[in-house]
Amino acid sequence: MFFLGTDLSHLTPPIYTCDDNVATSPTIHHILESVQPMDSRSNQYGELTQPILSDHRNSQVVPEPAGEVVSSELEEILSDRSLTSFRRYKKALSLELVSLFKLAGPTVVVYLLNNLTSISTQIFCGHLGNLQLAAATLGNNGVQIFAFGLLLGMGSAVETLCGQAYGARQFDMLGVYLQRSTILLLLTAIPLMFIYIFSKPLLILIGQSKEIAAAASLFIFGLIPQIFAYAANFPIQKFLQAQSIVNPSAYIAAGIFFIHLPLTYLVMYVWDWGLLGGALVLSLSWWLIVIAQFVYILKSDRTKETWTGFSTQAFTGLWSFFKLSTASAVMLCLETWYFQILILIAGLLPNPEIALDALAVCSTILGWVFMISVGFNAAASVRVSNELGAGHPKSTSFAVVVVTSSSFIVSLICAIILLFSRHYISYIFTGGEVVADAVSELTPLLAFSILLNGIQPVLSGVAVGCGWQAFVAYVNIGCYYAVGVPLGVLLAFYFDFGAKGIWSGLVGGMAMQTAILLWVTFRTDWNKEVKQAKMRVSQWQDKKEALLNN
């Protein structure tokens, strides 16, 4: 959070209208009509309003891209005035939906299987006893999720830069960005390792019993190799996603999951290694994922132009890359911590057991649906960054509308199903009628949260594709911590709404954040964003040529 003292004006995504005669209504027709075609011959792009990798004053000339790696078919359809608006958008919609679900589907599978790998270890630990279950839960949902969120957030910088570079056909940039991100994440993993090593006194410090802290620290100690696997995995994963290579990651995740299950049983029950053994197998599984994906990169023809070997250029420009990575991490962590803080607040209620159980059930359901949103989030990031890098403003704006609408429709269906099953859904988790009634009362708020979750993660993906991570981090601070948390505390304790008050605060913060991101996204000048993407690519190329000449 070192950038809190900096000037915020340059972090705000640009809001323009390209044509004074065109309304700024956020409909597909008006959005696309306001986007003017880019002149591919022009190399004067003016100033950056949101610099990411260098000062915009140092470079104003952008060379023409060598060609298009991202298909221009969608851009041509949207620019074809010989077709009626209906036929134009119908053809464009069918084309975009195919691209969208080819990206979103496998990504959902990857995140779901990775999550199930961790959960399966937790289940195996639970069969050793209640103490072991508590230790594994504390390790997985407490310490481990902190490292996961931090490193995943930092890794999303690769999505912005690799996606735009791939669209601009600057293939060799992707391999350098991958290496640069891996270096930064591995360095970040070192201080995280010490948190794992000294987890026992830290857990005792926050109020855990000595018995649980001792067992949890043993499990956490076995997860130390996993930190470095995260640091290597997330850049590789984003590197592949930027090129729309998602199926191999899904196949690898599935294969490792089915290896993980019998291996965990063997180590924990046959060899009797207990908690430590389970954690070490989990770490090993993550390293197998990393190795398999990297072997794919080395051997696949699809990555032979984007991976050209290790380069000393990865050690240049680390500070600028670190700033973008940190902004990405803060953006994601602020959202993760928001939910955890509200759960902690629930523990202070007069009858915390029922409130915590009800919130736990609702959080779990929201997490399941969120897995779908994660797929759309990744698809939005890839589609936006690729189209911006390729110089397709109309395609970018259309992709934003389609992915946001698709995610919202899926979330709406899930919310309706949830409302109809509100009196029964909690029995999946518990047989207690008191908890079931509490969940039933929270279900309308939960359904509204699911609707918001159908929009907000997608807009976050758009922000990553554009490079707005720092701006979204500030939005999260304001909406979540200046509005959501205080509102939840006020409603829960002063107005005595209990768990419903806490969740109402959560919804209030999410609604405010979603409204701001919607307003900013659908008033963005995509022509300007294309220019900024080209500027970033050219600035990197200029630095590369200068380094090679020296």
Side-chain angles (χ1 to χ4, degrees), residues 286-299:
W286 273 94
W287 270 111
L288 290 175
I289 291 173
V290 171
I291 293 170
Q293 289 184 130
F294 189 62
V295 169
Y296 175 85
I297 291 173
L298 294 177
K299 299 297 184 181

Side-chain angles (χ1 to χ4, degrees), residues 245-262:
I245 302 175
V246 288
N247 287 335
S249 294
Y251 297 144
I252 290 169
I256 299 302
F257 175 69
F258 288 110
I259 293 174
H260 174 81
L261 293 178

Side-chain angles (χ1 to χ4, degrees), residues 122-133:
Q122 194 170 323
I123 293 172
F124 277 117
C125 292
H127 286 283
L128 293 176
N130 291 334
L131 176 63
Q132 288 80 0
L133 176 60

Side-chain angles (χ1 to χ4, degrees), residues 256-372:
I256 299 302
F257 175 69
F258 288 110
I259 293 174
H260 174 81
L261 293 178
L263 187 58
T264 302
Y265 179 86
L266 175 69
V267 170
M268 292 185 66
Y269 295 105
V270 178
W271 294 351
D272 198 25
W273 286 17
L275 281 173
L276 180 61
L280 288 173
V281 172
L282 182 57
S283 296
L284 174 63
S285 296
W286 273 94
W287 270 111
L288 290 175
I289 291 173
V290 171
I291 293 170
Q293 289 184 130
F294 189 62
V295 169
Y296 175 85
I297 291 173
L298 294 177
K299 299 297 184 181
S300 175
D301 289 338
R302 298 180 67 182
T303 57
K304 64 183 180 181
E305 290 185 88
T306 54
W307 176 262
T308 56
F310 294 100
S311 172
T312 56
Q313 297 170 44
F315 293 93
T316 63
L318 286 175
W319 176 245
S320 298
F321 203 96
F322 176 73
K323 289 191 288 185
L324 178 61
S325 297
T326 304
S328 303
V330 171
M331 181 186 82
L332 181 63
C333 287
L334 287 175
E335 295 182 14
T336 304
W337 295 340
Y338 179 51
F339 287 87
Q340 292 178 334
I341 287 173
L342 290 174
I343 295 296
L344 290 174
I345 292 173
L348 303 176
L349 290 171
N351 188 11
E353 292 83 6
I354 301 301
L356 285 171
D357 287 345
L359 290 175
V361 171
C362 292
S363 297
T364 302
I365 295 171
L366 189 63
W368 287 350
V369 180
F370 183 72
M371 288 294 171
I372 301 173

Side-chain angles (χ1 to χ4, degrees), residues 400 404 455-464 472 514 517-518 521-522:
V400 170
T404 305
I455 302 174
Q456 182 271 331
V458 175
L459 298 180
S460 293
V462 172
V464 169
V472 178
T514 303
L517 293 181
L518 274 173
T521 301
F522 288 102

